[in-house]
């Protein structure tokens, strides 16, 4: 002990603490870790036994360290593993490795390995989702069931602000308000139309389509993960995933060179016919195309300019589960807008379906619609700006739905 | 006996692609947790963790194995966290909070069906995350590497590219800074 403190000298300082105390304080952290130099440990231990102030200081520091060490690992979200593997598969498929030889072989095989792994994890994620959301069932949005009745019938149901389809449409998104059955006032935001008419022809739409990914079991088409062309051989279960994850524009979220891309939007939708119909109707209404529906998800594409409309319509029936992407600011902004819309829509629906609304409630309804209109314009702007590439519609497992 | 990380790296380089998947499986939770503790929210943590593995994939062929794979991947993770923070500072957009206190309370469960112990554990989790966010980046990172990942001083020195002496002194300052924050708050002691 003598040698150790001789190095620093022992003298009383103004605050009642000695130089020894100050030196000990510096050594407390490595002392906790038993990382002191030979000859330092004993004198520090001895000092702590005799100096109450340093002893207390040591206790606090030790507790601080213990608090951190006691923290349990956090569990990543249930879809993290699947998404990670999907992104890696995208990354691998997007690498500019020379064809042939080790590199190309590696690329192809790695891609396959990751797709299989992702498939397993997605199945698990959907299973968990079923447990978490098992109490919600179909019919959570009974008030909007008409959505499933198809675009033509739906349009006829509404008194619209923009009924004349030949009239030039405003840039952006147009709201159409429906007339409530048995009520004179209009109510219920029901339809959002894209700034441009939806273009259903595959040849025109496809190059600009955004990819919307949903997992599933259908295997009607196999995409060669390396060459990205349909192939007939090897129609394994992961083929659907290959199509989803390695879609033509699927370079993966967050590449620096394309900050506008890569947002992944997730909805959670019960797996029943009516719910799927709603999603499919919304997609088709705006010129999108359903590529396939499987056990756990559904895949569709839509022209970028129509994506906001599709999303709005799906949001009307199903709460968005979140937006993710390497482009944090974009994801945050999108998420916020979408959450606000979902929340306002809920309130709007409650007021609209009320039998005998008060004046205040009618005023509130009008306010809500105005806000919704603004938010939808914003959503459309964001969709165009960030070009949503993927929209995962995760379906509740069948177990979560009433037996039918 | 399962193969070591280094054996897996070699296997991958030799063309055994399953080895890379195994490495991802081994480290995804660790990397995710580091990112979560650094950013304080799941959305950012997921994105940063993805970025880490993408960088690992892009550079693994050039990994010369002079350090352990574990050190190497932590180095990449730390760099990804720092890069992101730097980008955000330029844009004056720091990591956002996971939840508001009231949301956190709901999510962390003022659920009376949970045992008291579990509630306390969640409270501590929230509280420590809140304290960690108040630390400067360098302090936060070194605490995560030491206390959460339990890396030895030598490995921390490699990851942070500094001397062991720097690790000791920085860790000491970080711990004391955290202790002072906790003390000022008065919740834990």
């Amino acid at each position: 002990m003598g040698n150790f403190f001789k190095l620093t000298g022992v003298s009383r300082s103004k605050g009642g603490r000695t130089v020894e105390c100050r030196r000990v304080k510096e050594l407390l952290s490595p002392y906790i870790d038993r990382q002191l130099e030979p000859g330092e440990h004993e004198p520090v231990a001895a000092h702590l036994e005799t100096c109450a102030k340093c002893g207390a200081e040591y206790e606090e520091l030790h507790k601080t360290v213990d608090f951190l060490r006691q923290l349990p690992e956090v569990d990543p979200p249930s879809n993290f593993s699947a998404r990670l593997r999907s992104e890696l598969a995208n990354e691998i498929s997007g690498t500019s490795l020379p064809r042939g030889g080790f590199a190309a072989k590696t690329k192809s095989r790695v891609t396959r390995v990751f797709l299989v792994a992702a498939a397993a994890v997605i199945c698990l994620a959907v299973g968990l989702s079923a447990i978490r959301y098992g109490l919600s069932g179909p019919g959570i949005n009974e008030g909007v069931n008409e959505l499933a009745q198809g675009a033509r019938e739906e349009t006829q149901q509404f008194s619209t602000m923009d009924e004349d389809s030949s009239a030039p449409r405003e840039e952006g998104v147009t709201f159409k308000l429906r007339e409530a059955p048995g009520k004179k006032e209009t109510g219920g935001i029901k339809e959002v139309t894209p700034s441009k008419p939806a273009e259903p022809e595959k040849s025109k739409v496809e190059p600009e389509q955004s990819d919307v990914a949903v997992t599933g079991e259908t295997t009607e088409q196999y995409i060669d993960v390396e060459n990205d062309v349909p192939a007939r051989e090897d129609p394994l279960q992961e083929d659907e995933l290959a199509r989803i994850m390695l879609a033509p524009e699927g370079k993966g979220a967050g590449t620096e060179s394309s900050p506008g891309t890569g947002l992944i939007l997730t909805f959670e939708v019960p797996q029943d016919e009516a719910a799927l119909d709603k999603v499919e109707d919304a997609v088709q209404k705006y010129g999108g195309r359903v590529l396939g529906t499987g056990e756990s998800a559904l895949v569709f594409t839509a022209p970028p300019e129509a994506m906001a409309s599709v999303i709005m319509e799906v949001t009307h029936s199903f709460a968005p589960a979140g937006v993710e992407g390497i482009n944090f600011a974009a994801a945050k902004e999108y998420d916020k807008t979408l959450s606000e819309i979902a929340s306002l829509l809920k309130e709007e629906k409650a007021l609209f379906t009320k039998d005998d609304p008060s004046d205040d409630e009618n005023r509130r309804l009008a306010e809500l619609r105005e806000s919704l209109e603004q938010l939808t314009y914003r959503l459309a702007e964001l969709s165009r700006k960030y070009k949503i590439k993927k929209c995962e519609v995760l379906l509740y497992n069948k177990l979560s739905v009433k037996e039918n | 006996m399962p193969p070591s990380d280094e054996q897996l790296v070699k296997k991958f380089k030799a063309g055994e692609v399953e080895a890379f998947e195994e490495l991802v499986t081994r480290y995804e939770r660790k990397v995710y947790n580091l990112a979560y503790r650094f950013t304080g929210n799941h959305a950012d943590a997921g994105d940063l963790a993805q970025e880490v593995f993408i960088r690992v994939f892009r550079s693994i062929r050039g990994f010369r194995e002079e350090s352990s794979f574990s050190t190497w991947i932590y180095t990449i993770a730390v760099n990804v966290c720092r890069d992101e923070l730097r980008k955000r500072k330029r844009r004056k957009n720091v990591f956002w909070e996971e939840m508001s206190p009231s949301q956190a309370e709901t999510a962390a469960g003022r659920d009376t069906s949970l045992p008291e112990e579990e509630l306390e554990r969640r409270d501590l989790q929230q509280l420590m995350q809140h304290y960690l966010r108040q630390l400067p980046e360098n302090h936060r990172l070194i605490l995560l590497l030491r206390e959460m990942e339990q890396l030895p001083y030598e490995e921390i020195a490699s990851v942070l590219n500094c001397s062991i002496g720097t690790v000791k002194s920085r860790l000491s300052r970080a711990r004391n800074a955290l202790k002072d924050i906790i003390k000022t708050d008065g919740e834990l002691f």
Side-chain angles (χ1 to χ4, degrees):
Chain A
M1 179 172 177
N3 285 342
F4 169 67
F5 288 120
K6 267 181 198 164
L7 291 174
T8 55
V10 178
S11 63
R12 194 154 291 280
S13 68
K14 285 179 187 171
R17 287 204 146 188
T18 62
V19 173
E20 186 178 321
C21 290
R22 285 209 295 273
R23 176 72 178 135
V24 164
K25 191 182 173 187
E26 282 170 16
L27 297 175
L28 286 179
S29 171
Y31 177 75
I32 288 170
D33 292 333
R34 301 194 160 270
Q35 290 286 329
L36 289 176
E37 299 298 326
E40 286 180 331
H41 192 86
E42 291 303 318
V44 171
H47 179 85
L48 291 179
E49 279 188 13
T50 55
C51 177
K53 270 192 174 176
C54 288
E57 188 114 20
Y58 167 72
E59 285 300 319
E60 287 173 358
L61 199 65
H62 208 302
K63 273 188 191 168
T64 302
V65 169
D66 282 346
F67 285 141
L68 282 176
R69 290 181 180 173
Q70 280 168 19
L71 290 183
E73 273 196 335
V74 292
D75 291 323
S78 56
N79 61 352
F80 168 71
S81 278
R83 189 154 290 159
L84 171 62
R85 282 157 178 78
S86 153
E87 288 305 324
L88 283 168
N90 281 342
E91 168 67 21
I92 294 159
S93 74
T95 48
S96 54
L97 298 172
R99 293 217 168 264
F102 165 74
K105 188 177 155 199
T106 301
K107 179 177 147 185
S108 171
R109 288 183 60 202
V110 170
T111 304
R112 181 163 294 274
V113 167
F114 276 90
L115 292 178
V116 174
V121 180
I122 284 174
C123 289
L124 176 65
V126 171
L128 291 173
S129 164
I131 294 165
R132 268 181 69 194
Y133 298 96
L135 293 178
S136 315
I140 49 176
N141 291 287
E142 286 155 7
V144 292
N145 280 343
E146 313 90 291
L147 260 176
Q149 293 173 13
R152 178 177 292 273
E153 188 184 340
E154 192 173 357
T155 307
Q156 286 167 352
Q157 265 186 319
F158 312 130
S159 72
T160 66
M161 289 159 38
D162 184 20
E163 193 78 29
D164 183 1
S165 61
S166 65
R169 289 176 186 271
E170 280 180 29
E171 180 68 16
V173 175
T174 307
F175 262 105
K176 290 185 178 182
L177 305 180
R178 68 179 165 185
E179 194 167 78
K183 292 187 183 184
K184 286 191 176 178
E185 68 273 23
T186 58
I189 288 157
K190 203 60 185 88
E191 186 179 16
V192 181
T193 57
S195 56
K196 293 178 186 174
E199 174 49 73
E201 280 90 9
K202 186 182 167 189
S203 60
K204 286 189 182 177
V205 172
E206 200 149 47
E208 288 190 355
Q209 275 177 338
S210 301
D211 304 311
V212 178
V214 186
T215 58
E217 281 191 346
T218 51
T219 54
E220 66 226 61
Q221 189 186 20
Y222 174 60
I223 302 289
D224 179 311
V225 293
E226 193 174 348
N227 300 310
D228 205 18
V229 294
R232 290 181 187 280
E233 59 189 285
D234 200 12
L236 301 173
Q237 191 172 342
E238 76 248 39
D239 297 346
E240 180 73 5
L241 283 161
R243 194 171 59 183
I244 293 158
M245 296 171 184
L246 304 178
E249 294 183 38
K251 291 276 182 186
T255 48
E256 286 289 319
S257 57
S258 55
T261 67
L263 297 189
I264 300 172
L265 178 64
T266 310
F267 286 91
E268 300 204 23
V269 175
Q271 206 214 15
D272 68 292
E273 290 300 318
L276 290 176
D277 282 348
K278 279 184 193 174
V279 176
E280 290 189 13
D281 284 354
V283 172
Q284 283 161 7
K285 184 168 156 188
Y286 298 105
R289 208 155 50 93
V290 174
L291 297 176
T293 308
E295 275 291 298
S296 57
L298 169 152
V299 190
F300 66 86
T301 63
E305 70 272 19
M307 196 48 113
S309 308
V310 180
I311 288 167
M312 260 300 288
E313 189 128 357
V314 178
T315 307
H316 199 275
S317 301
F318 308 105
V323 186
E324 290 180 39
I326 293 285
N327 190 336
F328 299 92
K332 187 187 174 190
E333 197 175 7
Y334 209 98
D335 198 16
K336 190 165 164 269
T337 310
L338 209 52
S339 301
E340 280 174 21
I341 286 175
S343 152
L344 294 189
L345 274 174
K346 202 174 161 191
E347 197 186 341
E348 189 270 349
K349 199 173 98 184
L351 286 176
F352 174 66
T353 49
K354 211 160 178 206
D355 280 330
D356 189 18
S358 68
D359 287 348
D360 279 349
E361 283 168 332
N362 277 331
R363 266 195 295 277
R364 175 68 187 145
L365 198 58
E367 276 171 25
L368 283 170
R369 288 189 187 138
E370 200 175 319
S371 305
L372 276 165
E373 190 165 355
Q374 284 164 4
L375 284 170
T376 312
Y377 274 107
R378 181 81 195 118
L379 193 70
E381 278 171 22
L382 292 173
S383 286
R384 276 194 293 273
K385 190 171 166 190
Y386 297 120
K387 291 191 176 67
I388 303 291
K389 295 294 177 195
K390 287 188 178 178
C391 178
E392 298 187 356
V393 181
L394 299 176
L395 306 179
Y396 298 1
N397 190 291
K398 273 181 178 166
L399 294 172
S400 70
V401 182
K402 288 175 199 166
E403 284 188 22
N404 51 18
Chain B
M1 196 172 146
S4 67
D5 291 350
E6 285 64 35
Q7 285 170 324
L8 288 172
V9 170
K10 283 193 172 68
K11 282 181 177 181
F12 175 66
K13 285 182 173 178
E16 266 190 55
V17 292
E18 292 79 2
F20 189 69
E21 157 67 12
E22 173 60 24
L23 285 169
V24 173
T25 303
R26 279 186 193 182
Y27 282 92
E28 60 186 319
R29 274 185 78 87
K30 287 177 192 287
V31 169
Y32 183 89
N33 266 268
L34 183 74
Y36 178 78
R37 298 289 178 205
F38 187 78
T39 61
N41 72 80
H42 284 289
D44 286 338
D47 289 336
L48 288 190
Q50 271 182 19
E51 177 64 17
V52 170
F53 284 103
I54 285 171
R55 283 200 202 176
V56 165
F57 175 76
R58 284 177 186 167
S59 47
I60 195 166
R61 278 181 293 273
F63 171 47
R64 284 177 297 182
E65 298 167 62
E66 285 164 357
S67 66
S68 68
F69 180 77
S70 149
T71 302
W72 186 64
I73 197 170
Y74 277 122
T75 307
I76 291 176
V78 163
N79 288 339
V80 166
C81 288
R82 282 177 167 162
D83 289 352
E84 186 55 36
L85 195 63
R86 229 165 276 142
K87 265 193 269 174
R88 284 172 184 234
K89 277 181 180 164
R90 276 202 303 273
R91 300 195 306 247
K92 298 194 185 329
N93 175 18
V94 291
F95 294 107
W96 65 89
E97 301 272 339
E98 176 86 273
M99 296 180 255
S100 69
S102 60
Q103 282 176 310
E105 201 162 282
T106 313
R110 295 302 167 185
D111 176 354
T112 48
S113 62
L114 289 173
E116 195 60 30
E117 228 172 75
E118 175 68 7
L119 285 177
E120 278 174 19
R121 196 177 64 85
R122 290 186 185 196
D123 284 346
L124 181 67
Q125 179 94 263
Q126 294 285 337
L127 216 47
M128 292 309 290
Q129 200 67 44
H130 171 67
Y131 296 146
L132 279 172
R133 274 198 290 267
Q134 298 174 45
L135 290 173
E137 168 202 331
N138 273 350
H139 285 176
R140 209 181 329 162
L141 277 174
I142 201 164
L143 286 175
L144 298 184
L145 295 174
R146 177 65 195 164
E147 322 298 9
M148 315 301 297
E149 304 305 322
Q150 293 168 11
L151 301 190
Y153 281 27
E154 293 76 13
E155 196 170 346
I156 297 175
S158 296
V159 169
L160 298 179
N161 194 23
C162 64
S163 68
I164 290 184
T166 304
V167 170
K168 275 189 191 175
S169 56
R170 193 183 295 169
L171 189 58
S172 177
R173 283 198 301 276
R175 285 170 166 172
N176 277 294
L178 182 63
K179 184 199 75 179
D180 291 343
I181 290 171
I182 295 176
K183 231 176 146 176
T184 308
D185 192 52
E187 280 280 335
L188 294 176
F189 55 73

